[in-house]
């Protein structure tokens, strides 16, 4: 059993998928988000899309960093996480404008004071203001903030995002086919619209990242940050403290800041790609839960996915792997490992898209291709050898 499973979480969410298998899959079963007919206005040429997600256990890292340093600004990053995890999923069906967002914040009032709520709520609006300058308009509809200390130990920051969109501007993944190239867009670095270096971690696999990197000091001082029935050998088993520094690109950055890097949104990039290259985009995948295996869930028919030109693994993932001892198979299944967005396209468009990404300070490269197959498979190839899923 993997460390991930021993901690009571699942990269593939098998039980969740089993629970929802009888639900309506929407108009386009292979699309990255469920798409419904336009129930709001009844227009046959439009659709409604809604998605719910959040920052997950990353809020526990923010809690630890805030308690240790007093830096309340880290909570603004959690606000960005909750937005980006919704926004980038909707972007992957082609939506680029006029999103509606409602937040859901559950807190233990005895541990989470008003200043934290203010940082999360104000951070959400500040993020929307920043994205508006890139033509991405998100409207903040408020939401629910509940004091539920009997339910949550610290705080859970989530949200729901919805949009109404024309059918002829949807990406449904039905056009993914043999011969397509896969362009990967880097998750680490500093994009033009980011204020600091981004480790690339995002908001997936944070249970592993937290416990594998941080030391027992946090278990002893903050028992409210983990499930106390877990075996001691999977709780805070790393050797680092949040304020320990790690050298990245010639600069020393606190480990806590690397773990808390706000989830990179690809909204400014995808706004341009979808406006300029819509007809050349056959599929879009947000490599979130499930890491580099995420694409397997959205293939329109049996296909072989070969990724043999992967990004160099960013330092944060190297640190997690070193501390956890996890093999590459598990690492690539839990984390994005260097790129969190994939576009399935043709060679000519691939070059243009890579150039656009570079203009925004985002690394991009062709990471793989699609081939015909009798049964779907995924092969990852690199210095680690070959991994087949």
């Amino acid at each position: 059993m993997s460390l991930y499973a021993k901690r009571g979480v699942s990269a593939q969410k098998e039980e969740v998928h089993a629970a929802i298998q009888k639900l309506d899959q929407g108009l386009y079963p292979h699309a990255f988000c469920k798409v419904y007919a336009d129930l709001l206005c009844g227009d046959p040429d439009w659709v409604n899309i809604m998605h719910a997600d959040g920052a997950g256990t990353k809020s526990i890292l923010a809690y630890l960093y805030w308690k240790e340093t007093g830096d309340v600004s880290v909570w603004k990053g959690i606000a960005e996480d909750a937005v980006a995890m919704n926004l980038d999923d909707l972007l992957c069906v082609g939506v680029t404008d006029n999103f509606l967002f409602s937040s859901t914040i559950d807190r233990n009032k005895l541990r989470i004071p008003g200043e934290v709520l203010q940082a999360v709520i104000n951070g959400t609006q500040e993020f929307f203001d920043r994205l508006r300058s890139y033509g991405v308009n998100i409207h903040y509809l408020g939401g629910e903030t509940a004091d539920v200390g009997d339910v949550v130990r610290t705080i859970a920051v989530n949200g729901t995002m919805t949009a109404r969109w024309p059918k002829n501007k949807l990406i449904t993944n039905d056009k993914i086919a043999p011969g397509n190239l896969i362009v990967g867009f880097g998750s680490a670095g500093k994009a033009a619209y980011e204020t600091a270096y981004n480790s690339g971690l995002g908001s997936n696999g944070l249970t592993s990242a937290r416990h594998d990197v941080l030391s027992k000091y946090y278990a002893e001082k903050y028992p409210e940050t983990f499930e106390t029935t877990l075996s001691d050998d999977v709780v805070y088993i790393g050797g680092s403290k949040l304020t320990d520094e790690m050298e990245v690109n010639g600069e020393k950055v606190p480990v806590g800041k690397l773990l808390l890097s706000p989830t990179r949104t690809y909204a400014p990039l995808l706004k341009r790609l979808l406006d300029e290259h819509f007809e050349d985009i056959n599929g879009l995948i947000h490599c979130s839960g499930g890491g580099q295996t995420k694409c397997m869930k959205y293939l329109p028919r049996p296909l072989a996915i070969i990724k043999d030109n992967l990004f160099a693994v960013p330092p944060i993932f190297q640190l997690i792997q070193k501390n956890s001892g996890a093999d590459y198979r598990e690492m690539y299944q839990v984390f994005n490992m260097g790129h969190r967005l994939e576009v399935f396209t043709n060679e000519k468009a691939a070059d243009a898209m890579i150039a656009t990404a570079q203009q925004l300070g985002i690394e991009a490269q062709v990471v793989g291709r699609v081939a015909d197959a009798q049964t779907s498979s995924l092969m990852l190839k690199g210095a680690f050898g070959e991994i087949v899923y």
Side-chain angles (χ1 to χ4, degrees):
M1 183 183 292
S2 70
L3 284 173
Y4 210 55
K6 286 180 180 178
R7 290 171 178 139
V9 286
S10 169
Q12 302 301 308
K13 299 183 179 179
E14 295 91 348
E15 292 181 353
V16 175
H17 295 312
I20 65 174
Q21 64 180 345
K22 294 182 180 179
L23 297 182
D24 184 355
Q25 298 301 301
L27 298 176
Y28 306 99
H30 307 296
F32 201 83
C33 291
K34 190 181 290 187
V35 180
Y36 278 107
D38 182 22
L39 303 176
L40 294 176
C41 299
D43 190 327
D45 296 325
W46 287 67
V47 296
N48 300 150
I49 308 162
M50 181 176 285
H51 189 68
D53 210 330
T57 60
K58 198 169 184 177
S59 61
I60 298 175
L61 275 164
Y63 175 80
L64 291 172
Y65 196 86
W66 166 66
K67 292 290 282 187
E68 287 287 284
T69 68
D71 183 0
V72 74
S73 70
V74 297
W75 292 104
K76 292 187 177 184
I78 296 298
E80 293 187 27
D81 293 319
V83 172
M85 292 301 289
N86 281 285
L87 175 59
D88 284 36
D89 278 12
L90 265 68
L91 288 163
C92 283
V93 292
V95 185
T96 59
D97 202 7
N98 283 329
F99 302 88
L100 305 180
F101 182 78
S102 179
S103 66
T104 305
I105 304 171
D106 293 332
R107 70 161 174 166
N108 184 326
K109 188 178 180 181
L110 297 178
R111 293 195 173 106
I112 304 296
E115 66 171 351
V116 171
L117 290 182
Q118 291 176 22
V120 172
I121 293 169
N122 293 338
T124 302
Q125 186 60 60
E126 289 170 15
F127 191 38
F128 294 164
D129 293 342
R130 198 188 324 154
L131 290 176
R132 188 170 295 116
S133 65
Y134 289 90
V136 179
N137 295 291
I138 306 173
H139 308 279
Y140 199 179
L141 303 187
E144 164 74 351
T145 301
D147 295 334
V148 286
D150 288 336
V151 179
V152 297
R153 290 186 175 92
T154 54
I155 187 171
V157 181
N158 302 297
T160 301
M161 189 171 281
T162 188
R164 183 172 176 267
W165 200 248
K167 271 186 181 178
N168 64 357
K169 288 295 183 180
L170 286 171
I171 302 295
T172 65
N173 291 333
D174 290 324
K175 292 167 64 178
I176 295 176
N180 285 175
L181 296 182
I182 306 170
V183 180
F185 296 89
S187 57
K190 186 175 181 297
Y193 49 89
E194 293 175 327
T195 57
Y197 170 81
N198 196 316
S199 71
L201 186 54
S203 290
N204 297 104
L206 268 297
T207 298
S208 281
R210 175 166 48 93
H211 284 297
D212 289 337
V213 171
L214 301 182
S215 74
K216 285 283 187 223
Y217 164 84
Y218 298 100
E220 295 163 359
K221 191 172 181 181
Y222 303 104
E224 67 270 25
T225 65
F226 66 96
E227 171 52 57
T228 54
T229 61
L230 291 177
S231 173
D232 186 64
D233 63 357
V234 300
V235 175
Y236 293 113
I237 62 174
S240 300
K241 287 193 173 182
L242 291 165
T243 52
D244 289 348
E245 293 185 328
M246 184 174 175
E247 189 166 317
V248 179
N249 296 337
E251 296 184 10
K252 290 185 177 181
V253 184
V255 167
K257 289 288 190 179
L258 294 175
L259 291 170
L260 283 165
S261 287
T263 302
R264 170 174 289 176
T265 177
Y266 293 95
L269 171 65
L270 276 174
K271 169 70 174 170
R272 288 187 56 181
L273 297 187
L274 286 161
D275 285 351
E276 299 168 11
H277 303 284
F278 177 80
E279 295 299 331
D280 293 312
I281 297 177
N282 297 327
L284 284 168
I285 301 294
H286 180 201
C287 304
S288 48
Q292 289 303 315
T293 69
K294 189 77 169 185
C295 57
M296 297 291 288
K297 184 182 174 184
Y298 301 96
L299 300 179
R301 62 183 179 84
L303 293 167
I305 305 298
I306 301 108
K307 300 182 190 178
D308 53 5
N309 188 40
L310 296 165
F311 282 76
V313 178
I316 190 62
F317 301 112
Q318 296 177 33
L319 179 65
I320 293 168
Q321 186 172 23
K322 178 182 177 181
N323 279 271
S324 68
D327 60 21
Y328 281 101
R329 182 179 186 84
E330 182 174 355
M331 290 295 294
Y332 276 98
Q333 199 169 18
V334 173
F335 302 103
N336 70 73
M337 298 295 278
H339 76 269
R340 224 188 68 247
L341 174 68
E342 293 176 344
V343 175
F344 290 71
T345 188
N346 56 69
E347 185 175 358
K348 182 178 179 181
D351 291 338
M353 293 180 193
I354 290 170
T356 299
Q358 291 171 343
Q359 292 169 12
L360 288 169
I362 299 172
E363 289 187 77
Q365 64 192 45
V366 173
V367 296
R369 61 195 184 280
V370 182
D372 205 358
Q374 296 300 310
T375 58
S376 291
S377 65
L378 167 65
M379 184 190 77
L380 305 180
K381 187 175 181 181
F384 50 80
E386 291 185 7
I387 305 171
V388 178
Y389 298 91

